[in-house]
Each structure stands twice: as C-alpha cells, then as structure tokens.
Amino acid sequence: AAVDSLRQLQAESTEPNAFVCSAAISACQRANQWAPALALLDSMDERRVCADAITFNAALSAMAQAARWEPALAVLKDMV
C-alpha cells in the first residue's frame, strides 16, 4: 500500500520528500518487505531526495528483520 501511494504521488507529478519516503520504507519494514524497502531507498537518489538517519534506520531494520545482512552491509557502506 505504501509503495502504491508513492506511485500515485509520482503519477500526480508530486515528488515525495524524505519524510514520505521514510514513512513508506517503515511501512515496508512493518510488512516484512525488505526488497521494496531497499528499492525505495535506492530510488531516493534518482528522485534527488536525501535520505536521513530515520530513512536509513527504517531500511536497515527491514533488512535485519528479514536476516538480509548482505544488502544491509551495502547500505551501511553507502552511508559512510
């Protein structure tokens, strides 16, 4: 649902900000959907939206919950 909401914003030519992206990534984490969370995080660069600590924490939590340590390490490397 969160990913669909982001797509709807884009269809309406409204670019999501960091708050909206973080909320969507958090929703993915709660739904145990690590791959969409990572895809949203990656898409933020394309949208020229800066990820903040909350965004990274939500994405890392999604990957940790799914025991996906390899993509989590890649995200940590990107943060540095």
Side-chain angles (χ1 to χ4, degrees):
V3 176
D4 292 334
S5 295
L6 277 176
R7 287 186 185 125
Q8 183 177 0
L9 282 174
Q10 288 177 313
E12 296 171 1
S13 298
T14 303
E15 285 299 317
N17 57 24
F19 178 79
V20 172
C21 290
S22 295
I25 291 170
S26 290
C28 290
Q29 183 268 326
R30 287 189 300 276
N32 200 25
Q33 298 291 316
W34 71 271
L38 182 57
L40 286 170
L41 181 64
D42 290 342
S43 73
M44 290 177 72
D45 280 339
E46 297 166 12
R47 295 181 178 137
R48 296 186 179 154
V49 177
C50 293
D52 58 15
I54 294 168
T55 310
F56 283 115
N57 185 51
L60 289 169
S61 292
M63 288 173 256
Q65 183 174 330
R68 301 298 299 194
W69 61 271
E70 291 170 330
L73 284 176
V75 169
L76 287 171
K77 287 179 184 176
D78 287 344
M79 289 174 60
V80 181

